[in-house]
Amino acid sequence: MHRALPLLFVLTAFAVSAEDWPEFRGPTAQGHSTERGLPVIIVSSSGGARMYEGMFSLMQMAKTCGALAYHARAKLPFISVLTDPTMAGVMASFASVGDLIIAEPGAMIGFAGARVIKDTTQAELPPGFQTAEFLLDHGLIDAIVPRKEMKKQLIEYLDFMTTNLKKTAASA
């Protein structure tokens, strides 16, 4: 039987302006979770940071990565869940630094679009190179989990990843 486990759960939504990353979100939330000794799950769906937000959005991603590094030094778990799409700066920053990185089947994941990469590198790209399946085959993500199985899998992953946290809390 699974015990209740408090955690920080952040859900980004592509439908909300293709996902902004406003100042109040990332670093502040991660800082509070670290102070409280809580695991973090971030579910990402993004076309990247909105350019009209300029440097504020870009700095939020860097600050979030810094907060997650502090979280990691505290030996607290961070699970990154990649949905379709997870692209651009979000993938190049906090979405790719999880202790465990999982994705939904068929999710499009990457930094730049295929056309931009092809034009920049002048190389032929392998079929499906920005899919969750390709990234799993090449070691960039840890697992592919269908959405209907996500809750069960996240509970199992957290149970495993927080075993020592539970023992420490029980002995305190």
Side-chain angles (χ1 to χ4, degrees), residues 59-72:
M59 289 308 301
Q60 285 310 105
M61 290 185 287
K63 287 179 180 180
T64 301
C65 281
L68 288 167
Y70 177 68
H71 195 75

Side-chain angles (χ1 to χ4, degrees), residues 112-123:
R115 182 183 47 81
V116 172
I117 294 171
K118 187 174 181 178
D119 290 349
T120 302
T121 63
Q122 300 297 308

